[in-house]
Amino acid sequence: MGDVLFSAGAGFGATMALIVAIGAQNAFVLRQGIRREAVLVVVLICIFSDAILVSLGVGGVGALVGTSPEALTIVALVGGAFLLCYGALAARRAFRPAALETDGPETGGSLRRIVLTTLAITWLNPHVYLDTLLLLGAIAAGHGGGRWAFGAGAVTASVLWFLALGFGARLLSGFFRKPSSWRVLDGLVAATMIALGVTLVASA
């Protein structure tokens, strides 16, 4: 039970560190929340998209590792290197903080356009595949049989994040527009990513 909770907690922490970065998806969700336009639809699309991608990453990389012990070493080294790079970039942002702007593509209030825009921002973003399929998949693989608990923790983080961002937008918009807030968040992200990266490389 303890190992399962540890894996789930690791998945939750890793996903939160990846998901809070300034990006088009977060800005769009926040903007829709502030405007109160199809917030539930937007949030559900983001959540289910993340759940699908995380499952593919956890299952796919886990299956690859299961076929070859050497694959675990390769995945751990590659994933660790990416995490260390992510951590370095987050640390750089912490010293040069920006703010999350909610200006974005106009949807004109059309549900169809909102859905298409959300899908495009989510699925046409190359970073989402790096985050979910490679990075989360690589970290999950290191948890062996607990990788699905890791995946459950990752999806839980995604659910809580998008619900808070979408439905708490009017309360959170001021916070996310302050560069000082992002300095703190990016500092935490940098520490988490570097710690995870070192752990992966050491496990290899």
Side-chain angles (χ1 to χ4, degrees), residues 40-132:
L40 180 61
V41 173
V42 171
V43 167
L44 287 177
I45 289 174
C46 293
I47 289 173
F48 282 113
S49 295
D50 265 15
I52 292 170
L53 289 166
V54 168
S55 297
L56 289 174
V58 172
V61 175
L64 171 65
V65 170
T67 62
S68 171
E70 291 78 12
L72 178 60
T73 300
I74 296 173
V75 167
L77 288 174
V78 173
F82 272 113
L83 286 169
L84 290 173
C85 290
Y86 259 62
L89 290 174
R92 182 183 178 187
R93 290 197 305 267
F95 286 104
R96 299 165 60 183
L100 181 59
E101 299 297 334
T102 57
D103 295 332
E106 290 296 331
T107 58
S110 164
L111 180 60
R112 179 174 177 273
R113 293 185 65 182
I114 291 173
V115 169
L116 291 176
T117 301
T118 309
L119 289 171
I121 289 175
T122 301
W123 289 91
L124 298 182
N125 176 12
H127 290 290
V128 73
Y129 299 101
L130 176 63
D131 291 348
T132 55

